[in-house]
Amino acid sequence: EAGVAQSPRYKIIEKRQSVAFWCNPISGHATLYWYQQILGQGPKLLIQFQNNGVVDDSQLPKDRFSAERLKGVDSTLKIQPAKLEDSAVYLCASSLWAGRNTGELFFGEGSRLTVL
Amino acid sequence: DAKTTQPPSMDCAEGRAANLPCNHSTISGNEYVYWYRQIHSQGPQYIIHGLKNNETNEMASLIITEDRKSSTLILPHATLRDTAVYYCIVSKGGTSYGKLTFGQGTILTVHP
C-alpha cells in the first residue's frame, strides 16, 4: 500500500518569497491534516480537512498561510510571504473518516523548509 | 485536550524491554491515550492507543492505570531501530480525532 506522498522534500527560499507544498494522501482516506514541526519541538496541527471541507484551521496563520483540497484528494499548503520563523518541516497526514476513531494517522516524510 | 508529562530521555539495552512512562493526570473520561514515535528525519508513526483497558499489538503494549492518570508503553524486546522520540498524547475521538497535541516526547536511545 502506497503511503502519504509529499513534495518537495527540501526547499530553501528567501524571506518574503512564496512556497507551496503538495500532499497526496493514502487512497480512500477522507481526512487530511497539515502539521508544522519546528526543530526540537513536536508537530503542531495547522489545518484538518474532511474530504474537501475544512474541519479545523484555528492554528493556521491565515495572513500568510493557505491550504486547499479541491477535489477531496490531494492538497496544497502555501506560504506567502514567508518569514524566518516559518522554517520547519511541514508534515502531511491522512486517516480514514474522522468520525471513525481508528486511532491511526499516517504521516508522510515531510517537506523541510528553510527561510533565509 | 489533557496535557501529558514524559521524561525527556531514556536509555535501554538492546534486547531488553523498554518501559516508557506518561503522566496524564487531567485526562477526561472521553479522551484516549495515543502513542506515536518519530525516527530521525521521518514523519511520526502510530504505535498504539487505548481508552481504559490495556492494549497489545505487534509493536508494543499499553498499560493504563485504573484511574487513567498515567500509562506505560512497553516495547518488549527493544532493537537499535527503536531509537526514536516517543510521544504520548491524549485526545478525544469523533470529529476531534486527528487533532493531536504533541509535546516534547521522550528520546529513547537503544544501545548495543
Side-chain angles (χ1 to χ4, degrees):
Chain A
E1 178 182 85
V4 176
Q6 291 190 246
S7 67
R9 285 297 314 275
Y10 305 93
K11 189 75 176 178
I12 301 174
I13 61 173
E14 303 268 338
K15 60 183 179 184
R16 291 188 288 272
Q17 286 186 324
S18 63
V19 63
F21 302 112
W22 173 82
C23 171
N24 191 30
I26 292 172
S27 177
H29 280 194
T31 312
L32 184 147
Y33 314 80
W34 283 101
Y35 280 80
Q36 178 194 56
Q37 186 171 25
I38 293 171
L39 187 65
Q41 299 180 18
K44 182 183 85 171
L45 179 68
L46 292 176
I47 188 166
Q48 176 183 350
F49 291 95
Q50 178 73 11
N51 297 308
N52 60 352
V54 175
V55 174
D56 186 345
D57 63 357
S58 57
Q59 298 192 87
L60 186 75
K62 297 180 189 62
D63 57 335
R64 297 182 299 105
F65 286 65
S66 64
E68 59 184 14
R69 192 184 184 200
L70 292 175
K71 295 182 180 177
V73 181
D74 56 354
S75 175
T76 303
L77 176 71
K78 295 180 182 176
I79 308 173
Q80 181 179 14
K83 292 186 174 182
L84 297 177
E85 59 259 37
D86 298 332
S87 293
V89 175
Y90 291 87
L91 294 158
C92 180
S94 69
S95 69
L96 291 169
W97 177 51
R100 289 177 54 195
N101 187 2
T102 67
E104 184 169 7
L105 265 66
F106 295 83
F107 283 83
E109 293 193 315
S111 296
R112 180 178 296 276
L113 173 66
T114 301
V115 182
L116 303 176
Chain B
D1 292 340
K3 282 192 171 180
T4 62
T5 304
Q6 298 178 252
S9 64
M10 293 183 66
D11 287 334
C12 178
E14 190 176 21
R16 304 296 295 269
N19 297 282
L20 290 89
C22 179
N23 184 291
H24 33 79
S25 57
T26 59
I27 192 170
S28 59
N30 61 351
E31 287 183 314
Y32 292 76
V33 180
Y34 296 89
W35 283 85
Y36 280 76
R37 73 180 183 184
Q38 189 171 24
I39 295 169
H40 183 64
S41 295
Q42 295 183 21
Q45 176 191 24
Y46 167 84
I47 301 173
I48 199 167
H49 79 288
L51 183 63
K52 288 190 252 189
N53 300 320
N54 297 337
E55 302 287 345
T56 295
N57 63 20
E58 65 279 3
M59 287 182 69
S61 294
L62 173 61
I63 309 297
I64 302 174
T65 58
E66 195 169 336
D67 63 7
R68 304 209 323 124
K69 293 185 176 182
S70 65
S71 61
T72 302
L73 178 75
I74 301 171
L75 307 179
H77 305 287
T79 71
L80 299 179
R81 289 179 297 179
D82 292 323
T83 292
V85 180
Y86 286 77
Y87 296 101
C88 170
I89 302 161
V90 292
S91 183
K92 297 183 178 67
T95 55
S96 295
Y97 170 65
K99 188 176 180 179
L100 304 177
T101 301
F102 288 80
Q104 297 287 95
T106 295
I107 300 172
L108 174 68
T109 303
V110 181
H111 51 84

